[in-house]
Amino acid sequence: MAAETIGHLLKRLRDEHGWTQQQVADEYCRVSSTMAKDAREVGRWERSTRVPTPETRRNLAVVFGVPAGVFDRAAAVAREARQEGPVEGSAPAHEELIGMDRRTFVGAVAAASFSTAMATPRYVDPALIPYFQQQLEGHYRADMMLGSRALTGTVTAQCDLIGQLVDTADGPTRQQMAHVGVSYAAFAAWLYLDAGDPTTALRWHDVAQELAHRSRDREAVACALVDRAMARTDQAMGRAVVDLCEGALMDAPRLSPEVQAFALQQQAHGVSLLGGRRQVDELLDKAGRLVDAVDVEVWGTACLRTPHYVEVQRATCYGRLGLAREADRLWQEIIPSAPPTARRDIAVWAGRQAVAAASLREPERAVELARRAAGIVVETGSERARRELGAVETAMAPWQAEPIGQDLAEVLAPIGKGV
């Protein structure tokens, strides 16, 4: 039996589901927050006049409930059959690279042009590695100013490009490029988590884990495990969080203080989901000592980007454990000292402090904190912060019929009913 092209595969799966091309497009839009599709686009895929990008193929796999590799193999068959022609996502590369200087832009587009072939290993300029690293630092800053939704398209496009370069490069460059790819994929996962799409975030965590192993860097592998534990924390899967973090720390003496602190603080979140106050403090105290030992020149500043890094985790864990007074006391120290660039984090923290205030029977203060958070949600579209305000709404239920409860409803109205 001849191998299917992606067009034949898509048509067959669509027929099996009894869907029209528009229904496929609608399902695609449901599982993906990256872009809208319509029946015409599905028709192009089925006619193989356009081969979907790797991310599009992952979304199609979710739509039809099949392994992503099925679509990847079919895409490869389609490329081999055509030998030439546009691959979706390659032509408008300039749209994903807006804001780069001319030299950077030309270099990146040239890299995209030769890497899409993905043939036998060939030379990849190692200078692309610091280029991508610098771009990522810029993405981190832009994320704080613009919010996650503004960056998902750019970051995922660069993730796909890096993945192609990893498959194309040879020797040490491949491993170094894979290492950079881990950071990009983990950041893409974070963007989707903040945008309220944990399913897509987990798929990017899968990408990060594969690239981490391909990089042959134990710290990258450990970080990929902890990043996945973060997603499981959002799903309240405490045992999974603890297991993943313990796996990351299996080789703890050979990990940097920064990576150990990263794993320990996330393990504390897992323990808090299981109700363990004493172990939360033990883990976070140990993480705090390690943060103090971080050498910025050697290890960088990833765990230092968040002011009061460890105490933020402690306050969050205390809130989860129902220790409202202890959590509130910490938030009163943390939030006023946060820099303006941390405004989205401030929204999340203010939402958590508002829950603590409501638990302490201080509804007026809870509403004022919710007001501050809601204003930032309107500006950034952060689903993480919106979710925290949903918890405030629940905590304020005893005052729902009172004037202060109506005040809260007015505060939350601009960001949607029933946050």
Side-chain angles (χ1 to χ4, degrees):
M1 181 177 176
E4 288 182 296
T5 66
I6 199 161
H8 292 148
L9 170 65
L10 186 55
K11 177 67 164 59
R12 176 173 62 79
L13 290 172
R14 181 168 67 81
D15 288 344
E16 289 175 359
H17 282 72
W19 288 343
T20 64
Q21 290 180 344
Q22 185 57 53
Q23 285 174 312
V24 172
D26 291 343
E27 284 298 305
Y28 184 96
C29 293
R30 184 180 63 80
V31 304
S32 170
S33 62
T34 55
M35 62 184 73
K37 300 293 183 187
D38 58 24
R40 291 173 298 176
E41 191 73 0
V42 176
R44 294 188 191 103
W45 295 336
E46 290 189 0
R47 294 190 300 275
S48 293
T49 58
R50 178 165 293 192
V51 178
T53 63
E55 182 178 5
T56 300
R57 296 197 296 270
R58 285 191 290 270
N59 288 328
L60 285 171
V62 174
V63 166
F64 290 105
V66 300
V70 172
F71 275 95
D72 289 339
R73 287 191 294 273
V77 171
R79 279 193 293 265
E80 291 171 4
R82 293 169 59 203
Q83 293 299 315
E84 59 182 17
V87 174
E88 181 193 332
S90 60
H94 63 282
E95 297 176 5
E96 300 295 348
L97 301 170
I98 290 173
M100 299 182 186
D101 59 69
R102 178 176 174 79
R103 182 186 304 174
T104 299
F105 169 77
V106 171
V109 172
S113 298
F114 77 73
S115 64
T116 52
M118 295 175 62
T120 56
R122 58 178 294 174
Y123 178 75
V124 173
D125 193 335
L128 283 168
I129 294 165
Y131 155 71
F132 280 118
Q133 291 170 332
Q134 292 164 9
Q135 286 288 304
L136 186 59
E137 288 297 325
H139 293 330
Y140 289 150
R141 293 191 295 272
D143 174 46
M144 290 189 289
M145 294 181 285
L146 298 173
S148 56
R149 294 182 186 278
L151 288 174
T152 50
T154 298
V155 172
T156 55
Q158 289 185 307
C159 282
D160 287 338
L161 174 55
I162 290 170
Q164 293 168 7
L165 291 169
V166 171
D167 287 332
T168 305
D170 200 5
T173 302
R174 182 174 68 253
Q175 293 172 22
Q176 294 171 34
M177 189 65 71
H179 192 281
V180 173
V182 176
S183 298
Y184 267 86
F187 186 50
W190 151 253
L191 293 174
Y192 279 106
L193 276 179
D194 188 63
D197 186 352
T199 301
T200 303
L202 285 168
R203 293 206 296 275
W204 280 109
H205 282 310
D206 290 340
V207 174
Q209 288 184 65
E210 177 179 330
L211 289 172
H213 285 285
R214 294 181 70 176
S215 75
R216 302 180 189 178
D217 184 293
R218 65 173 59 89
E219 296 215 332
V221 172
C223 285
L225 288 170
V226 179
D227 283 327
R228 192 170 187 89
M230 290 174 63
R232 295 306 189 193
T233 301
D234 279 3
Q235 296 175 320
M237 298 174 62
R239 295 192 185 282
V241 175
V242 172
D243 289 344
L244 288 165
C245 292
E246 287 180 347
L249 290 165
M250 285 177 64
D251 204 14
R254 303 177 70 181
L255 299 175
S256 70
E258 182 177 34
V259 173
Q260 290 184 62
F262 183 41
L264 288 165
Q265 62 81 25
Q266 200 61 46
Q267 186 176 348
H269 283 287
V271 170
S272 72
L273 286 165
L274 301 175
R277 159 70 186 275
R278 181 180 60 81
Q279 193 178 359
V280 163
D281 282 330
E282 290 174 354
L283 289 165
L284 290 176
D285 289 347
K286 185 174 182 180
R289 292 191 293 271
L290 287 163
V291 169
D292 291 340
V294 169
D295 185 330
V296 175
E297 293 299 321
V298 176
W299 303 114
T301 59
C303 71
L304 305 179
R305 284 195 188 96
T306 301
H308 302 286
Y309 177 71
V310 171
E311 294 314 298
V312 166
Q313 318 311 322
R314 196 185 306 271
T316 301
C317 289
Y318 281 177
R320 194 179 286 126
L321 289 165
L323 304 172
R325 192 168 303 282
E326 292 89 334
D328 183 57
R329 187 180 304 116
L330 287 170
W331 290 128
Q332 288 185 46
E333 297 174 4
I334 293 166
I335 295 176
S337 62
T341 53
R343 59 183 183 145
R344 189 178 42 183
D345 286 337
I346 290 170
V348 172
W349 302 341
R352 291 171 181 170
Q353 187 180 10
V355 171
S359 300
L360 294 170
R361 312 292 296 179
E362 299 180 35
E364 290 80 7
R365 189 160 65 93
V367 170
E368 286 310 306
L369 288 162
R371 191 186 311 278
R372 181 179 186 181
I376 299 173
V377 170
V378 170
E379 296 172 1
T380 65
S382 172
E383 288 298 323
R384 278 195 315 137
R386 187 190 299 268
R387 187 168 61 243
E388 298 298 337
L389 288 172
V392 176
E393 191 174 36
T394 300
M396 286 286 293
W399 296 276
Q400 185 176 7
E402 298 182 16
I404 192 65
Q406 297 305 309
D407 289 346
L408 179 65
E410 292 177 8
V411 165
L412 300 181
I415 60 173
K417 181 69 176 173
V419 294

